[in-house]
Amino acid sequence: MARILIISDLHANIEAFDACLNAAPAYDRVWNLGDLVGYGASPNEVITLSRRIGDTFVRGNHDKACSGIVEPHDFNAAAAMSALWTRDQLTPEHLEWVHDLPAGPITCDGFPAQLSHGSPFDEDHYLIDVVDGCQTLAEARVALNLFGHTHIQGGFAEADGKCFRIIPDYQSDTELEQWTFEMQPGAGYLINPGSIGQPRDGDFRAAFALWLPQENSITFYRVPYNIAGAQNKIRRAGLPEWLAHRLSLGR
């Protein structure tokens, strides 16, 4: 029986990453859905820890820009500056490792799931609205599709002839919380664990998920962390102030 920790969009935020791992229950494997770097000021630390705990990764759009696969021409000014700064900060080994991360989707032997950064049909596509999510589920080849990129925890499901959005129901906006979603046999799912390093769903807390295949359940987590520490590092690095400020807004 396996317990799969699902993480995404760490964005060089080691404070949030540490808090999530400290809060996570026992797990056997870690699946990382990309964007380990960009925005935050601790890219080498996040990569080192990510490689230590897991070996299953897909690349994100910031991973591509920060490693030189693409230039950040389509990024906003703050994101582009961060990508170029990160490229200069990465150790040669980490730069090569990020450059060589695989494009999604990938599958994992023995599991009815596939991993992508954006859509399973386009690694750079933002799956945000329910119409897009339902169309993607209709064309998906596996029952469980894991994605990130939007920094919005939750996802979409198609069950009993209906397609709907999954939105975790939390009672607080400051405490450590979890919310479990029971999956139905024969249904299809697009699951986003949320962003560890830069949530954008109005909740500043770092986000991740745990999949228990044997129990057919996904548990979403929200974790408070040392935001001030992450913000101070961004400011000391000379990165745009907006990248620090938005962490406390969850946007």
Side-chain angles (χ1 to χ4, degrees):
M1 295 193 296
R3 300 168 62 89
I4 313 296
L5 185 68
I6 306 166
I7 60 177
S8 189
D9 297 281
L10 286 76
H11 284 294
N13 187 336
I14 192 64
E15 287 77 16
F17 194 12
D18 281 338
C20 286
L21 293 182
N22 288 334
Y27 55 87
D28 304 301
R29 299 186 62 176
V30 181
W31 292 353
N32 192 315
L33 307 182
D35 272 1
L36 288 83
V37 293
Y39 295 133
S42 302
N44 288 301
E45 295 88 339
V46 164
I47 292 171
T48 296
L49 184 52
S50 297
R51 296 177 69 181
R52 183 184 305 155
I53 66 170
D55 60 4
T56 303
F57 300 85
V58 294
R59 71 186 185 186
N61 56 314
H62 284 260
D63 301 324
K64 291 191 292 183
C66 291
S67 63
I69 294 175
V70 298
E71 294 301 322
H73 299 311
D74 295 332
F75 285 14
N76 63 51
M81 179 179 176
S82 171
L84 298 176
W85 177 88
T86 301
R87 196 181 296 180
D88 288 339
Q89 299 300 312
L90 289 175
T91 68
E93 178 188 354
H94 285 164
L95 185 66
E96 180 180 8
W97 182 83
V98 174
H99 183 278
D100 292 342
L101 287 172
I106 65 170
T107 56
C108 299
D109 291 343
F111 295 94
Q114 67 178 0
L115 285 60
S116 309
H117 183 65
S119 161
F121 304 111
D122 181 348
E123 63 178 339
D124 295 325
H125 181 64
Y126 289 91
L127 278 169
I128 296 177
D129 67 79
V130 69
V131 173
D132 197 6
C134 292
Q135 180 62 40
T136 301
L137 279 174
E139 299 173 4
R141 294 181 292 272
V142 299
L144 178 60
N145 300 269
L146 303 171
F147 73 104
H149 198 32
T150 67
H151 300 211
I152 298 172
Q153 189 180 61
F156 310 94
E158 185 176 32
D160 298 327
K162 299 179 180 178
C163 189
F164 55 92
R165 187 186 299 274
I166 300 168
I167 304 174
D169 183 16
Y170 297 115
Q171 304 306 306
S172 169
D173 56 8
T174 58
E175 304 299 321
L176 171 65
E177 285 191 276
Q178 65 187 65
W179 183 80
T180 298
F181 179 81
E182 302 295 335
M183 304 166 67
Q184 298 182 37
Y189 295 94
L190 273 164
I191 297 295
N192 189 328
S195 170
I196 286 182
Q198 193 194 84
R200 294 180 189 166
D201 49 11
D203 188 333
F204 76 87
R205 295 173 295 178
F208 67 92
L210 185 77
W211 178 39
L212 303 183
Q214 68 278 7
E215 297 181 11
N216 217 26
S217 70
I218 296 277
T219 299
F220 296 100
Y221 291 81
R222 296 310 286 244
V223 183
Y225 71 96
N226 179 13
I227 289 180
Q231 290 173 322
N232 288 338
K233 286 183 180 176
I234 289 171
R235 292 177 178 124
R236 288 198 299 270
L239 291 166
E241 171 61 26
W242 169 238
L243 299 180
H245 181 60
R246 72 185 305 174
L247 295 181
S248 60
L249 304 177
R251 298 200 180 279

